[in-house]
Amino acid sequence: MNEVIICEKPSSAEKIAKALSPSAKKKVYNKKVKYWELERDSKNITVLSGVGHLYSLIPKDAKYRVSFNLHWVPSYEASKASSFTKNYLRAIKKFGKDADSYIHACDYDVEGTLIGYNALKFACGEDSLKKASRMKFSTLTKKDIIDAYENRIDIDMHQVDNGIARHILDYYFGMNISIALSDSVRKTKHRFLKLSVGRVQTPTLSILVNREKEIREFVPEPYWVIKALLDFENIEIKHVAGNIFDRQLAEEIFNKCNGKDAVVDKIEISNSKTRPPVPFNLSGLQAEAYNVFGFSPKRTQVAAQNLYSAGYTSYPRTSSQKLPESLGFASIFKQLSADPEFKKHIDKLPSKLRPNNGKKEDAAHPPIHPTGILPGKLNKDEQKIYDLIVYRFIAVFFDAAKFETMKTTLDIEGEKFKFSRRRVTYKGWMEHYPFKKIDDEIFPDINEGDVMSVKKLISDEKETKPPARYNQASLIKELEKKNLGTKATRADIIDKLYDRKYIEGSKIEVNSLGEHLIDTLNTYCHNLTSEKLTRSLEIKLEDINTDKTTKDSVIDEGEKEVKEILGDIDKNIQGIGSKLYEAYQASNIVGECSCGGKLVKRSGRYGDFVGCTNYPDCNVTYSLPVNASVIKKTCERCGLPMIVAGKGRNRQEMCLDPNCGKENVKKHAPEEVGECPQCGKPLLKRSGRFGDFIGCKGFPKCKFTCSVEELESKLK
């Protein structure tokens, strides 16, 4: 009897094959793709692997046109970037045909379920689905794999339908509307401009634009803080009014108290507890890794996925904060104790292992936790994330930390001032979680009625601050709070906004293109930026899982919404095209040209360059090195923008003009070296991505180019 197991990734296939049989044999198809053969329970089993999605949606009609008529094709046919999937798909087709039974062993979530379903349906044939069962596991440990194999379930068709609907809606909102917006620029300005919008991406950008406007429109308000520095231990006390927005009142308090002593009016001692943290779900891990290590959510997600694939930690894409007893806490701690650093903390665990669970649940997977298997060699990111996961797992089982707080009120001429101190009385879980700073202040030796000499009285004038910019971790939390996107996609959505050059910086700023894109969409087709629409569709997608709605009804609703948006774009094509192109130009302006025009970053035949907007009247151009970026800084010598170029330690700042500072060089203008043989205009010596070349001043009407060597040869 022949059985085929379909896995999501090569590393998972290897883990599953070796768990089911220590004598599993590795085979290679077409010298590139590994697969595994083994025997178990009188079955000949072949374990095959994909590399993520092997199939993609494209229109049945012409590509790069708005379409609602989609079908699944191999990913390598949809995109050249997916050519690496070709041999994996061929291997599944070759070895997955005509088996007696099939097992879907991809990750147990919507995406994983769809990946395996499509591989079975299209590569192995529709009949394979009738013979298929599903392995469900949260860790790639031998125990969990065998348990999943021996207790297989049916493929969850609700997950399949959810996945199909998501991909179709993402195409409708992403590709269709992006194409329509790009077409509006092409038809209005006769220029090609690649624009990107999306079902979740655009509302996310809208959130950032709204924050950008709040910051810009914020009007600071002055306020005063009255504080005093005591002679005794340099204790700083503050007036109980806090921020005083009345200048006259602040002056009255200051004048009244200046030069006077303070009397200790009241001392209150109170006790408090800080409960242990809750287990990590994906957003919790991403937030903590950002706070502790400065990792972006995507960077954390990649490291966590690698640890899961290696069998060291559980499946990372989970919402759960509740550790089930079925995980076998004692067994995991016993294995982790083989590491002496972990053992120091594990030895102090309470006899009854009761985790401090959070409120969120996930029916598919438990919180992120170590499996107990100690890793071999990890890279730096993986080691940091692994330690974070292990110590959090340990910490949730300890008691609350206990603190004592001293709140002191002082009197200066009838005005009340205060200060407080906090010290730890019992470290509890904090002793076992090295990533948490413990407040442990010293209480001053003072009593009620003590007279304290004031060394200095200060009236500190300040201004209110605008709302803080989002960072990637806080934006993930905001998206989770607003129910935009999923735990698996939020980091990718933020990455996409960076890739599309709509946002920049660790404290996220939106550039003019991103802001104008949202302003234009708000003006002409508001629904696309609406959180309400996106959230409504997200809820309905989740309702597919519980039979409250169907895949087709959600797709139909999405199609209707997209067609309304496309209608809005079509009605306002001139306004949209003009505004988007103007925004694109503004976003690429990097400086002023000596002729009075603007220097604009562009992409050309020989790579990226900076040119003048007064072209062809002004021929000033500067080529940009590969991966160079223009920064908000000007050259002290010539006033041109500065760029950053190079890699790693060799990355450095330099002037946009490579000849700046060099003697006997005609600066900021290409050198004329002859006459064009085609149109008679001057030939200019330029620098490009592949070195110096000769080009006609009449470009783009005249496209004559040649190498420097060719010109020299002709002149001879």
Side-chain angles (χ1 to χ4, degrees):
M1 187 173 180
N2 295 321
E3 188 167 72
V4 168
I5 300 178
I6 306 289
C7 303
E8 190 167 330
K9 299 180 181 71
S11 57
S12 302
E14 182 175 358
K15 285 278 181 186
I16 288 170
K18 289 182 176 179
L20 295 179
S21 173
S23 58
K25 294 179 181 177
K26 180 175 75 173
K27 303 282 186 175
V28 180
Y29 169 73
N30 203 20
K31 299 181 181 180
K32 293 180 180 179
V33 175
K34 290 185 288 186
Y35 67 98
W36 300 80
E37 290 182 350
L38 59 101
E39 291 184 13
R40 184 183 177 90
D41 301 334
S42 302
K43 295 177 185 175
N44 296 316
I45 301 174
T46 304
V47 184
L48 300 166
S49 164
V51 274
H53 283 284
L54 298 174
Y55 289 86
S56 300
L57 283 170
I58 64 167
K60 286 183 179 177
D61 36 32
K63 285 185 180 180
Y64 312 117
R65 293 287 182 270
V66 172
S67 175
F68 295 93
N69 189 16
L70 309 177
H71 67 144
W72 294 98
V73 299
S75 295
Y76 63 83
E77 291 181 12
S79 168
K80 289 181 181 179
S82 297
S83 59
F84 64 93
T85 65
K86 192 171 189 176
N87 281 306
Y88 287 90
L89 190 52
R90 284 180 172 176
I92 292 174
K93 285 183 176 180
K94 179 177 176 63
F95 301 109
K97 283 284 186 183
D98 303 322
D100 298 301
S101 62
Y102 296 85
I103 298 176
H104 182 324
C106 298
D107 290 346
Y108 195 82
D109 61 6
V110 168
E111 288 301 307
T113 299
L114 183 60
I115 288 167
Y117 175 85
N118 279 346
L120 288 168
K121 180 178 180 179
F122 298 116
C124 302
E126 291 240 22
D127 286 346
S128 67
L129 294 169
K130 299 173 186 176
K131 308 174 191 175
S133 56
R134 181 76 157 105
M135 285 173 64
K136 179 184 177 182
F137 46 84
S138 293
T139 71
L140 286 169
T141 61
K142 182 176 181 179
K143 175 182 174 297
D144 278 12
I145 289 169
I146 291 173
D147 183 62
Y149 179 81
E150 292 178 348
N151 297 281
R152 297 190 295 277
I153 59 177
D154 292 335
I155 295 174
D156 187 342
M157 290 307 298
H158 293 110
Q159 282 189 332
V160 172
D161 286 348
N162 186 324
I164 292 171
R166 281 180 186 278
H167 278 256
I168 290 174
L169 290 181
D170 286 345
Y171 192 98
Y172 287 176
F173 280 86
M175 289 297 295
N176 280 350
I177 299 176
S178 296
I179 289 168
L181 291 174
S182 294
D183 280 350
S184 73
V185 177
R186 180 177 57 81
K187 291 173 182 176
T188 304
K189 293 293 182 180
H190 308 291
R191 295 284 190 274
F192 173 73
L193 180 56
K194 187 176 180 180
L195 292 163
S196 173
V197 296
R199 182 173 60 88
V200 182
Q201 176 189 320
T202 305
T204 301
L205 182 58
S206 182
I207 290 170
L208 294 170
V209 168
N210 290 340
R211 177 58 56 90
E212 198 73 36
K213 290 180 177 179
E214 285 176 35
I215 293 169
R216 188 188 309 135
E217 294 165 6
F218 181 82
V219 178
E221 188 178 356
Y223 68 90
W224 290 262
V225 176
I226 309 297
K227 53 189 179 181
L229 191 65
L230 303 180
D231 260 334
F232 183 75
E233 296 183 3
N234 283 330
I235 294 172
E236 185 180 271
I237 59 176
K238 291 183 180 179
H239 195 277
V240 294
N243 299 341
I244 303 170
F245 290 89
D246 184 330
R247 177 193 289 270
Q248 186 177 345
L249 176 60
E251 289 177 353
E252 286 175 3
I253 294 171
F254 181 84
N255 293 332
K256 183 179 180 182
C257 299
N258 196 21
K260 308 297 182 181
D261 291 334
V263 178
V264 178
D265 184 49
K266 190 176 184 181
I267 298 174
E268 293 179 307
I269 304 293
S270 61
N271 295 300
S272 61
K273 292 181 179 181
T274 301
R275 290 175 60 81
V278 298
F280 278 138
N281 56 18
L282 180 58
S283 61
L285 176 64
Q286 289 170 324
E288 188 77 340
Y290 181 86
N291 292 333
V292 175
F293 307 124
F295 283 10
S296 71
K298 183 67 175 178
R299 186 175 173 184
T300 299
Q301 194 165 313
V302 168
Q305 180 67 34
N306 291 343
L307 292 170
Y308 160 71
S309 297
Y312 303 137
T313 59
S314 63
Y315 188 65
R317 294 180 180 90
T318 176
S319 300
S320 179
Q321 296 174 322
K322 294 187 176 183
L323 288 166
E325 289 185 17
S326 59
L327 292 179
F329 307 141
S331 174
I332 294 173
F333 284 129
K334 184 177 180 181
Q335 293 176 78
L336 291 174
S337 292
D339 182 306
E341 287 301 314
F342 297 152
K343 189 175 187 299
K344 291 176 189 175
H345 303 279
I346 292 168
D347 284 348
K348 296 178 181 178
L349 281 166
S351 56
K352 289 187 178 180
L353 296 174
R354 293 176 180 168
N356 181 46
N357 287 325
K359 295 179 180 178
K360 295 179 181 177
E361 295 186 78
D362 188 325
H365 297 285
I368 303 169
H369 63 276
T371 62
I373 299 172
L374 292 174
K377 190 174 181 180
L378 300 175
N379 65 36
K380 289 181 180 179
D381 282 8
E382 292 164 357
Q383 188 65 60
K384 286 179 176 180
I385 296 300
Y386 181 74
D387 288 345
L388 196 61
I389 291 169
V390 172
Y391 282 116
R392 172 61 71 95
F393 181 69
I394 292 171
V396 300
F397 289 92
F398 279 96
D399 296 331
K402 296 178 182 178
F403 293 89
E404 193 173 55
T405 302
M406 175 187 190
K407 291 183 179 179
T408 306
T409 306
L410 300 97
D411 185 287
I412 304 178
E413 291 297 302
E415 297 292 336
K416 302 297 182 184
F417 288 74
K418 64 180 180 179
F419 75 90
S420 64
R421 295 286 185 272
R422 188 172 184 244
R423 66 186 178 195
V424 64
T425 56
Y426 175 66
K427 290 183 180 179
W429 67 271
M430 289 186 173
E431 186 179 357
H432 310 286
Y433 191 64
F435 307 103
K436 180 70 175 178
K437 183 182 176 183
I438 302 175
D439 295 330
D440 199 9
E441 298 173 308
I442 297 171
F443 286 10
D445 184 15
I446 57 176
N447 297 293
E448 291 179 2
D450 286 354
V451 178
M452 317 291 287
S453 175
V454 174
K455 185 189 294 186
K456 188 177 183 183
L457 188 69
I458 303 162
S459 178
D460 198 359
E461 184 176 355
K462 298 185 177 184
E463 285 186 336
T464 52
K465 294 182 179 180
R469 296 188 184 279
Y470 288 102
N471 57 48
Q472 292 191 48
S474 63
L475 183 55
I476 288 262
K477 283 187 175 180
E478 186 70 11
L479 295 178
E480 185 178 29
K481 176 181 166 186
K482 293 178 179 291
N483 196 21
L484 297 176
T486 68
K487 52 188 175 286
T489 61
R490 291 178 185 121
D492 289 327
I493 288 162
I494 296 171
D495 263 17
K496 194 173 287 187
L497 292 175
Y498 279 106
D499 291 341
R500 298 293 186 265
K501 310 297 184 186
Y502 294 149
I503 62 174
E504 57 193 32
S506 55
K507 292 182 178 179
I508 301 173
E509 293 184 58
V510 184
N511 63 26
S512 59
L513 178 59
E515 186 169 334
H516 280 85
L517 175 64
I518 295 300
D519 287 346
T520 302
L521 295 174
N522 279 335
T523 302
Y524 297 110
C525 39
H526 178 68
N527 265 0
L528 185 56
T529 63
S530 167
E531 294 174 21
K532 186 178 178 182
L533 171 60
T534 303
R535 187 161 44 246
S536 170
L537 286 171
E538 192 63 48
I539 290 168
K540 285 171 182 172
L541 284 166
E542 291 303 317
D543 284 346
I544 294 173
N545 293 341
T546 53
D547 264 340
K548 292 179 182 177
T549 189
T550 64
K551 171 192 71 176
D552 292 338
S553 66
V554 177
I555 292 171
D556 288 345
E557 183 176 341
E559 181 176 341
K560 179 184 173 185
E561 293 287 353
V562 171
K563 284 181 175 177
E564 285 183 12
I565 293 168
L566 292 174
D568 290 338
I569 293 172
D570 195 47
K571 281 186 238 172
N572 300 285
I573 195 166
Q574 289 291 329
I576 291 173
S578 298
K579 286 191 175 183
L580 289 178
Y581 188 66
E582 288 168 12
Y584 169 74
Q585 286 187 307
S587 70
N588 283 288
I589 293 173
V590 298
E592 301 280 340
C593 182
S594 56
C595 75
K598 302 290 184 184
L599 293 175
V600 180
K601 184 180 177 183
R602 301 186 186 279
S603 294
R605 182 179 177 185
Y606 298 97
D608 291 342
F609 68 96
V610 171
C612 181
T613 53
N614 285 338
Y615 177 87
D617 296 327
C618 177
N619 285 293
V620 169
T621 58
Y622 305 97
S623 62
L624 288 171
V626 178
N627 295 326
S629 56
V630 182
I631 59 175
K632 295 176 181 177
K633 190 174 179 181
T634 54
C635 175
E636 293 179 357
R637 289 194 191 94
C638 67
L640 281 171
M642 297 288 285
I643 64 173
V644 175
K647 289 185 177 180
R649 293 180 180 177
N650 295 323
R651 196 161 175 80
Q652 57 183 328
E653 290 183 8
M654 59 189 77
C655 180
L656 176 64
D657 181 5
N659 295 317
C660 180
K662 296 179 182 178
E663 294 180 1
N664 302 321
V665 175
K666 188 177 180 181
K667 295 171 64 176
H668 307 327
E671 179 186 355
E672 292 189 9
V673 293
E675 189 176 277
C676 178
Q678 290 184 3
C679 70
K681 289 192 175 183
L683 290 176
L684 304 174
K685 184 178 179 181
R686 301 182 184 275
S687 296
R689 182 179 179 185
F690 302 103
D692 291 345
F693 69 98
I694 306 300
C696 179
K697 188 174 183 179
F699 181 82
K701 289 183 179 178
C702 177
K703 293 183 169 59
F704 175 81
T705 60
C706 68
S707 68
V708 176
E709 292 76 13
E710 286 173 334
L711 181 67
E712 290 174 349
S713 175
K714 287 177 183 177
L715 290 174
K716 288 178 183 177

